[in-house]
Amino acid sequence: MPMVKVYNMAGAEVGEIELSAGVFGIEPNKTAVHSVVKSYLANQRQGTQSTLTRSEVRGGGRKPWKQKGTGHARQGSIRAPQWTHGGIALGPKPRNYSITLNKKLKRLAIKSVFSSKVLENNLIVVDEIKVDAYRTKTVVEMLGALGVDKKALIVTGEKNDMFIRSASNIPGVKTGLVNTINVYDILAHDKFIVTRDAVSKIEEVYA
């Protein structure tokens, strides 16, 4: 089972924690991760883009000129696609881009990214995170003490509005709870900072 060090908010080592091998110690499955990320991004698309076809634009009811004898090409409507202000041929219409994946694949993917963070030494376990006031400086000092100078995802076991708001305006930092984290967010951030109680909840959910 993988062992990682536990730090406090001041960056001092306060112990070690043994992680579940079934959650944080599996062989990462890149195919599963790719499928889940692709599904996540596709599901963010609204699919509301729409263009007007020749039957939907205003006007064009009268034939612009007679069929023969004018020297022009024959035309039936001034709202055909080749006319200015005409309809759009084969343009986008509202559609659903969502991709459905089975639960087993999604669980494999999130376990894979957990394990990859451990293998890359990008998982940081913090004993607990306490913020007594709405102060961004407190969170910035914690990140500095932990040696985090890149994008970081901070996951806590319980919701703490004071901490969430204190970290909300730090560039590259995102907070989350055990039930809100996803594969894309973990991959998008260099460091994965998680509290000790959040580790227990993750193992309880995904073990």
Side-chain angles (χ1 to χ4, degrees):
M1 293 185 178
M3 297 285 295
V4 295
K5 297 178 181 179
V6 180
Y7 300 91
N8 59 20
M9 292 184 65
E13 184 180 338
V14 294
E16 286 187 335
I17 186 173
E18 187 175 8
L19 302 176
S20 170
V23 179
F24 293 94
I26 71 169
E27 179 69 27
N29 189 309
K30 294 182 179 180
T31 302
V33 173
H34 176 267
S35 297
V36 171
V37 170
K38 181 180 178 182
S39 171
Y40 175 84
L41 293 176
N43 294 346
Q44 304 307 304
R45 300 183 67 176
Q46 292 183 325
T48 56
Q49 72 277 32
S50 181
T51 53
L52 300 180
T53 65
R54 61 182 296 171
S55 65
E56 295 170 321
V57 292
R58 183 179 177 85
R62 177 176 60 86
K63 189 175 176 66
W65 51 74
K66 64 181 183 177
Q67 182 81 348
K68 294 179 179 293
T70 63
H72 295 296
R74 54 194 176 188
Q75 300 291 328
S77 170
I78 60 170
R79 290 298 177 255
Q82 72 271 19
W83 285 75
T84 303
H85 306 302
I88 302 298
L90 306 177
K93 282 294 184 181
R95 56 166 290 190
N96 180 14
Y97 289 95
S98 63
I99 300 173
T100 303
L101 299 175
N102 62 65
K103 186 176 180 180
K104 187 175 181 180
L105 181 65
K106 289 190 272 189
R107 290 175 71 92
L108 175 61
I110 199 162
K111 289 180 183 180
S112 295
V113 292
F114 286 151
S115 300
S116 67
K117 289 298 180 184
V118 174
L119 291 172
E120 297 164 359
N121 294 321
N122 285 327
L123 174 70
I124 301 174
V125 179
V126 180
D127 187 29
E128 60 178 347
I129 297 177
K130 284 186 177 181
V131 178
D132 299 326
Y134 292 103
R135 293 185 72 237
T136 299
K137 185 178 180 181
T138 303
V139 183
V140 172
E141 289 175 348
M142 180 192 75
L143 294 174
L146 294 173
V148 177
D149 56 357
K150 296 181 179 180
K151 296 176 67 176
L153 174 64
I154 307 174
V155 177
T156 56
E158 300 291 338
K159 186 176 182 181
N160 186 332
D161 290 326
M162 193 170 290
F163 166 69
I164 293 172
R165 291 187 61 182
S166 297
S168 63
N169 60 344
I170 304 176
V173 174
K174 183 174 183 178
T175 60
L177 300 173
V178 174
N179 60 348
T180 63
I181 56 177
N182 58 72
V183 172
Y184 181 80
D185 282 342
I186 297 173
L187 285 178
H189 294 82
D190 300 289
K191 297 292 183 179
F192 182 43
I193 303 172
V194 59
T195 59
R196 186 193 289 266
D197 61 330
V199 170
S200 300
K201 291 186 177 182
I202 288 174
E203 293 179 344
E204 182 181 341
V205 172
Y206 296 103

